Amino acid sequence: MVRVPLTDEERERGERLGQALRTARAGRSMVDVAGEAGISVETLRKIETGRIPTPAFFTVAAIADAVGLPLAELRAAVAPAGSPLSQAS
Protein backbone atom coordinates (compact mmCIF):
# COMPACT_ATOMS: atom_id res chain seq x y z
CA MET A 1 0.00 0.00 0.00
CA VAL A 2 1.36 3.38 -0.99
CA ARG A 3 0.53 6.33 1.22
CA VAL A 4 -0.42 9.62 -0.36
CA PRO A 5 1.94 12.34 0.89
CA LEU A 6 0.43 14.69 3.43
CA THR A 7 -0.33 18.24 2.43
CA ASP A 8 1.24 21.17 4.25
CA GLU A 9 -2.17 21.85 5.82
CA GLU A 10 -2.37 18.30 7.16
CA ARG A 11 1.12 18.53 8.65
CA GLU A 12 0.30 21.89 10.25
CA ARG A 13 -2.94 20.47 11.66
CA GLY A 14 -0.92 17.60 13.17
CA GLU A 15 1.41 20.11 14.80
CA ARG A 16 -1.56 22.04 16.24
CA LEU A 17 -3.02 18.78 17.53
CA GLY A 18 0.24 17.88 19.24
CA GLN A 19 0.56 21.33 20.78
CA ALA A 20 -3.02 21.27 22.09
CA LEU A 21 -2.54 17.85 23.68
CA ARG A 22 0.84 18.82 25.14
CA THR A 23 -0.66 21.99 26.63
CA ALA A 24 -3.60 20.05 28.08
CA ARG A 25 -1.21 17.51 29.58
CA ALA A 26 0.24 20.41 31.60
CA GLY A 27 2.49 19.12 34.38
CA ARG A 28 1.55 15.46 34.02
CA SER A 29 4.21 13.10 32.78
CA MET A 30 3.99 11.43 29.40
CA VAL A 31 4.21 8.06 31.17
CA ASP A 32 1.10 8.81 33.27
CA VAL A 33 -0.96 10.12 30.34
CA ALA A 34 0.11 7.37 27.94
CA GLY A 35 -0.71 4.71 30.54
CA GLU A 36 -4.14 6.17 31.22
CA ALA A 37 -4.83 6.46 27.48
CA GLY A 38 -3.68 2.91 26.82
CA ILE A 39 -0.96 3.85 24.35
CA SER A 40 2.82 3.76 24.39
CA VAL A 41 4.85 6.72 25.56
CA GLU A 42 6.56 6.76 22.15
CA THR A 43 3.20 7.08 20.38
CA LEU A 44 2.23 9.98 22.64
CA ARG A 45 5.61 11.62 22.04
CA LYS A 46 5.23 11.28 18.27
CA ILE A 47 1.72 12.75 18.32
CA GLU A 48 2.76 15.66 20.55
CA THR A 49 5.71 16.50 18.30
CA GLY A 50 3.71 16.19 15.07
CA ARG A 51 5.61 13.14 13.83
CA ILE A 52 2.25 11.33 13.65
CA PRO A 53 0.15 14.13 12.15
CA THR A 54 -2.92 11.97 11.48
CA PRO A 55 -3.35 9.63 14.46
CA ALA A 56 -6.36 7.35 14.74
CA PHE A 57 -9.51 8.97 16.12
CA PHE A 58 -9.79 6.60 19.08
CA THR A 59 -6.16 7.28 20.01
CA VAL A 60 -6.81 11.03 20.03
CA ALA A 61 -10.04 10.53 21.97
CA ALA A 62 -8.26 8.40 24.58
CA ILE A 63 -5.51 11.00 25.04
CA ALA A 64 -8.02 13.85 25.24
CA ASP A 65 -9.99 11.91 27.85
CA ALA A 66 -6.82 11.18 29.83
CA VAL A 67 -5.93 14.89 30.01
CA GLY A 68 -9.50 16.07 30.55
CA LEU A 69 -9.79 17.91 27.23
CA PRO A 70 -13.28 17.83 25.66
CA LEU A 71 -13.19 16.83 22.00
CA ALA A 72 -15.07 20.00 21.00
CA GLU A 73 -12.32 22.13 22.54
CA LEU A 74 -9.64 20.02 20.89
CA ARG A 75 -11.39 20.35 17.52
CA ALA A 76 -11.50 24.14 17.92
CA ALA A 77 -7.81 24.23 18.90
CA VAL A 78 -6.77 22.18 15.87
CA ALA A 79 -8.89 23.99 13.28
CA PRO A 80 -7.12 26.60 11.15
CA ALA A 81 -7.45 30.16 12.42
CA GLY A 82 -10.52 31.86 11.01
CA SER A 83 -12.37 28.65 10.18
CA PRO A 84 -15.84 28.16 11.64
CA LEU A 85 -14.53 25.18 13.61
CA SER A 86 -11.89 27.29 15.37
CA GLN A 87 -14.68 29.28 17.02
CA ALA A 88 -16.90 26.33 17.95
CA SER A 89 -17.04 25.21 21.57
Side-chain angles (χ1 to χ4, degrees):
M1 182 171 125
V2 176
R3 284 189 128 174
V4 177
L6 297 175
T7 65
D8 289 340
E9 181 180 325
E10 289 169 325
R11 281 191 294 277
E12 290 168 5
R13 185 179 58 218
E15 290 172 6
R16 289 191 303 272
L17 171 65
Q19 178 61 45
L21 293 173
R22 191 169 43 253
T23 299
R25 182 167 55 84
R28 293 183 60 193
S29 76
M30 289 182 118
V31 173
D32 289 342
V33 172
E36 190 173 332
I39 62 172
S40 72
V41 174
E42 186 59 23
T43 296
L44 179 58
R45 180 179 293 112
K46 286 178 179 178
I47 292 169
E48 284 190 357
T49 60
R51 288 182 46 215
I52 300 178
T54 58
F57 170 78
F58 290 105
T59 300
V60 173
I63 297 168
D65 188 49
V67 298
L69 180 62
L71 289 177
E73 287 181 29
L74 181 58
R75 181 182 69 171
V78 172
S83 85
L85 292 178
S86 68
Q87 292 144 23
S89 284

